[in-house]
DNA sequence: ATGTCCCAACTTTTGGGA
C-alpha cells in the first residue's frame, strides 16, 4: 500500500500534473493540500475516471485539502475545530485512518499568524489524542515545519524565521509522543530528503530545500514500513508545484 | 536574498500569500 502526501499549489493549475502523477505512480492514497478550489469546482468525476474515489474540504482562493483513494474511502471528517479555514480532512481508506493536513504557514515569529499556527498544531495533537484512536493512523501533509536542522539546506539562513523555531518543533515532538513516527526520517536517518523548494532564486537547481511535507504513522505501523521517499521528478518539468510528493509504502 | 507562481479583482496590472 502506497500513500503519498502532496501540496499541489492549486489543483486547477496542477491538474495536468496530477493526472500524470496518478497514471504513473501506482499510488493507493493521496493526501492533498492547497487545492485552492470550491467543492463545486473539484474534479470528482475526472478522479473517478482515473480510478480514485475522493473527498474534498474546499474553500476557494486559499487552502483546501482532499483525499484520493483507490482502496475505499469512508467516514470522512472535515475541519479540526471551529476555524473557518479548510485545512484538515480525514477518512478511512483500506485498514487505515488517514488525515490530510495543511498547517498554517506562520509567516514570521512576530505575526499573529504564527500564534494561529501553534494553536492549530495544539488542536491537531488534541484531535489525534482524543478522536483518532483505534485503526492504524497516517497523518500527512504540509506541516510548514522542518523538524530538525538536517531538514534545512542552510540553518543559518533560517535563524529567527518560522518553520524552524523551537515551539513549532516541540509541537511535532508532542505529536510523536502520542505514539507516532516520522516515516521518511525513520527510513532515512541521515538523508535530508527535502520536499519543498522555493520557486524563486533557482532554489530547486541549487538544492536550497526544506523537508516540511511529513507523514506521521502510528507506531503499530512500524513493522509494516517498507520505505518512504521523495518523488523529486514531480518537482521537475512543466508547471510543477513547489512541493514534491512524499511517499510511504506499508506492507 | 528574493531571479516565481497562483489567485482575485474596482481585471490586461496590481497586491497578497506562499
Amino acid at each position: 500500500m502506497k500513500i503519498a502526501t502532496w501540496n499541489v499549489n492549486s489543483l486547477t493549475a496542477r491538474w495536468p500534473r496530477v493526472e500524470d502523477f496518478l497514471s504513473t505512480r501506482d499510488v493507493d492514497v493521496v493526501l492533498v493540500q492547497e487545492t485552492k478550489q470550491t467543492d463545486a469546482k473539484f474534479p470528482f468525476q475526472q478522479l473517478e475516471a482515473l480510478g480514485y474515489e475522493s473527498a474534498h474540504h474546499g474553500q476557494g482562493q486559499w487552502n483546501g485539502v482532499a483525499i484520493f483513494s483507490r482502496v475505499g474511502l469512508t467516514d470522512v471528517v472535515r475541519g479540526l475545530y471551529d476555524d473557518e479555514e479548510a485545512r484538515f480532512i480525514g477518512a478511512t481508506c483500506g485498514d487505515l485512518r488517514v488525515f490530510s493536513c495543511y498547517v498554517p504557514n506562520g509567516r514570521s515569529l512576530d505575526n499573529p499568524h504564527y500564534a494561529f499556527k501553534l494553536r492549530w498544531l495544539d488542536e491537531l495533537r488534541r484531535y489525534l489524542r482524543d478522536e483518532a484512536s483505534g485503526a492504524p493512523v497516517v497523518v500527512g501533509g504540509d506541516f510548514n515545519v522542518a523538524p530538525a536542522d538536517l531538514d534545512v539546506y542552510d540553518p543559518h539562513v533560517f535563524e529567527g524565521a518560522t518553520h524552524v523555531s523551537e515551539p513549532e518543533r516541540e509541537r511535532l515532538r508532542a505529536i510523536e509522543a502520542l505514539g507516532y513516527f516520522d516515516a521518511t526520517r525513520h527510513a532515512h536517518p541521515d538523508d535530508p530528503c527535502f520536499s519543498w523548494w522555493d520557486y524563486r532564486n533557482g532554489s530547486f537547481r541549487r538544492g536550497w530545500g526544506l523537508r516540511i511535507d511529513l507523514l506521521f504513522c502510528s507506531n503499530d505501523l512500524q513493522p509494516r514500513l517498507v520505505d518512504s521517499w521523495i518523488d523529486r521528478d514531480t518537482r521537475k518539468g512543466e508547471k510543477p508545484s513547489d512541493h514534491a510528493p512524499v511517499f510511504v509504502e506499508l506492507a
Side-chain angles (χ1 to χ4, degrees), chain A residues 165-241:
Chain A
S165 73
E166 190 50 33
E168 295 165 76
R169 289 175 166 175
E170 193 282 323
R171 279 160 175 82
L172 296 190
R173 290 195 296 271
I175 288 168
E176 290 182 327
L178 294 174
Y180 290 86
F181 67 99
D182 175 341
T184 311
R185 185 51 72 226
H186 190 267
H188 300 278
D190 303 315
D191 294 343
C193 293
F194 299 147
S195 65
W196 173 84
W197 298 261
D198 201 312
Y199 282 124
R200 298 168 290 188
N201 310 318
S203 294
F204 184 63
R205 178 175 53 79
R206 294 164 121 147
W208 292 356
L210 302 178
R211 190 175 73 93
I212 55 177
D213 299 275
L214 310 173
L215 287 160
F216 290 104
C217 299
S218 55
N219 286 338
D220 52 349
L221 289 170
Q222 211 153 300
R224 290 171 59 183
L225 178 66
V226 176
D227 196 4
S228 173
W229 64 92
I230 313 298
D231 179 10
R232 292 184 82 259
D233 284 348
T234 294
R235 180 61 177 77
K236 304 173 184 172
E238 283 287 301
K239 283 184 59 117
S241 170

Side-chain angles (χ1 to χ4, degrees), chain A residues 129-145:
Chain A
R129 185 192 64 198
D130 297 344
E131 300 183 56
S133 56
V137 180
V138 175
V139 186
D142 175 1
F143 280 77
N144 274 312
V145 181

Side-chain angles (χ1 to χ4, degrees), chain A residues 50-69:
Chain A
L50 290 161
Y52 292 86
E53 294 178 83
S54 54
H56 187 221
H57 184 28
Q59 187 177 329
Q61 181 179 5
W62 307 115
N63 310 312
V65 284
I67 297 172
F68 310 157
S69 173

